[in-house]
Each structure stands twice: as C-alpha cells, then as structure tokens.
Amino acid sequence: MLVLLPPSEGKAASGDGVPVALDGLSLPGLTAARAQVLDALVGLCRGDEEAAAGVLGLSPGLRGEVARNAGLPTAGALPAGEVYTGVLFDNLGLATLDEAAYDRAERSLLVFSGLWGAVRISDRIPPYRCSMGVKLPGPGALGAFWRSAMASVLPEVADGLVLDLRSSAYAAAWRPAGEVVSRTATVRVLQERDGKRSVVSHFNKATKGRLVRDLLVAGAEPKTPGELVDALSALGHRVEVAAEGTARKPWQLDVVVTEVH
C-alpha cells in the first residue's frame, strides 16, 4: 500500500545535524528536479525580501520564512516525519507509533511537497516554506513542473493499492494513469448531523491522520480499494463507496463522522 499525503504549512522550528543531501533522498529520479527548485527558491529568497514574500504568498508575520529559505542549503535537516507538524500529522502521531508500525509508515507513506516533489518520512530535509501553488522564477508553476518530473518516477513505487489523501493543489503534481487508476482510492470526509451530511473542511485532515494511523497500528495491508473499505470498517470507521473505480477514475470513498475534532 502506498499512501499519498499532503505536507503541512506548519513545520518544525529548525533542524539539526548535517544539511540535506539531495542525492540521498528517496525517489532518486527526482534529484535533478529537486536541485532546480531548490536553487530557484534560494535565489529568490536571497534577493528582494518583499518580492520573495509576494511570490510565496507570505503575510507580514511570516516574512522570517524568506530568510529561512535563503539558508536552506546549509540548514540542519530532520526526518520529514518530524518536519511536518500540522493537523494531519498531529493525528497520525508518528512519534508514538511502535517500531513495527513506524517501519510500515516508512515503507508506505509518501509526502508531497512543493520543494522536494515527494519524500518518505525518513528522508532528512530542512524546514522550509514553499507550497505547491507557488510559481517560481525558472521552474514556473510547481504543480505543472512536478507533474512532468514525477510521470516516470511515481509509477515505479505505486505497485499496489494507492490511498490518495492529498489536497487538490498537491494532487495536481501527479495523477494516477494507466492501470494504476483502478487501484487508487481517494477519501472524502462527511459529517452527518440531524440526518443531513456536509463536507468537512479543516477537520478532514484530522480524520485522515487517524485513518492512516489506525491502518499502520493494525498492520493492515489491503491490496485493493475493496479490501481497504473492509479494513477501515473493521477498525471502526464508517466507510461508504461513493463511486467504484474505472479505467479512468479512482475509487471514491466517503468516511462518515458524527463529530469533528
């Protein structure tokens, strides 16, 4: 099973140890593209601060992120699983997994990134600020840039069930194609209250984090979207098939909750 995750805007305050080694990251087929984006981001942030903040969409309170990006080549790195600190990752709770569950997380989780393309949770990267919606001088719109870079790399690791939990901005960087499509499942979180259902926005990240954690802790290894539905149901989640997959469209699963937290 391969689980595709979005990153979080929230990140660790700083890394430690040696700087990132691009040729040591997972998915080595992305190394050249990573170097291109890193160079473009660092060059932007070593120039005019106001212009860089505008490109990156930073509010005045986040201007310090420009200086941090400028120092990325020499900044201390952390495992990616420790860099991301947002709602999804808080509920995933990587640091509290036992050894077997963490090993499964290292094998199955892939975090998408505007800067790195996609990384495993054990890949050592420095904290940074660069969303997939950014348009950098040189690479251009990052969603489109990464789409071509990943076209030949991702199918090599997507050899079983693909659980796609990415937000739309990060889904633009790679869309399953060919035979991968029919074994891919996306998830929508719905809240049911007084007989009515509504799409959960912010708290859908928390639910998705808990779904992944439960699968890792249980040691579940579903091989198809149908087996995924069975596995999540057995773990106490209310899961419904909104649409079965076809040769062109992934499976669409609804996870129904009564409370959001």
Side-chain angles (χ1 to χ4, degrees), residues 152-212:
S152 62
V153 174
L154 264 292
E156 296 177 0
V157 296
D159 57 356
L161 169 68
V162 177
L163 174 55
D164 189 351
L165 301 180
R166 297 172 297 166
S167 57
S168 58
Y170 289 89
W174 180 72
R175 300 189 188 281
E179 55 87 23
V180 179
V181 177
S182 62
R183 47 185 170 82
T184 298
T186 62
V187 170
R188 179 175 63 168
V189 181
L190 301 177
Q191 182 182 17
E192 187 171 79
R193 179 183 294 175
D194 299 327
K196 297 180 179 181
R197 293 181 177 183
S198 59
V199 176
V200 176
S201 55
H202 174 72
F203 288 100
N204 92 91
K205 297 177 183 178
T207 298
K208 289 176 179 178
R210 289 191 288 269
L211 291 178
V212 177

Side-chain angles (χ1 to χ4, degrees), residues 84-99:
Y84 299 112
T85 60
V87 173
L88 188 154
F89 291 89
D90 284 346
N91 284 270
L92 175 54
L94 290 169
T96 61
L97 293 175
D98 63 30
E99 184 176 354

Side-chain angles (χ1 to χ4, degrees), residues 37-47 66 68-73 136:
V37 177
L38 179 61
D39 287 348
L41 179 62
V42 171
L44 171 71
C45 292
R46 287 180 177 175
V66 174
R68 177 153 76 168
N69 281 347
L72 285 174
L136 284 178

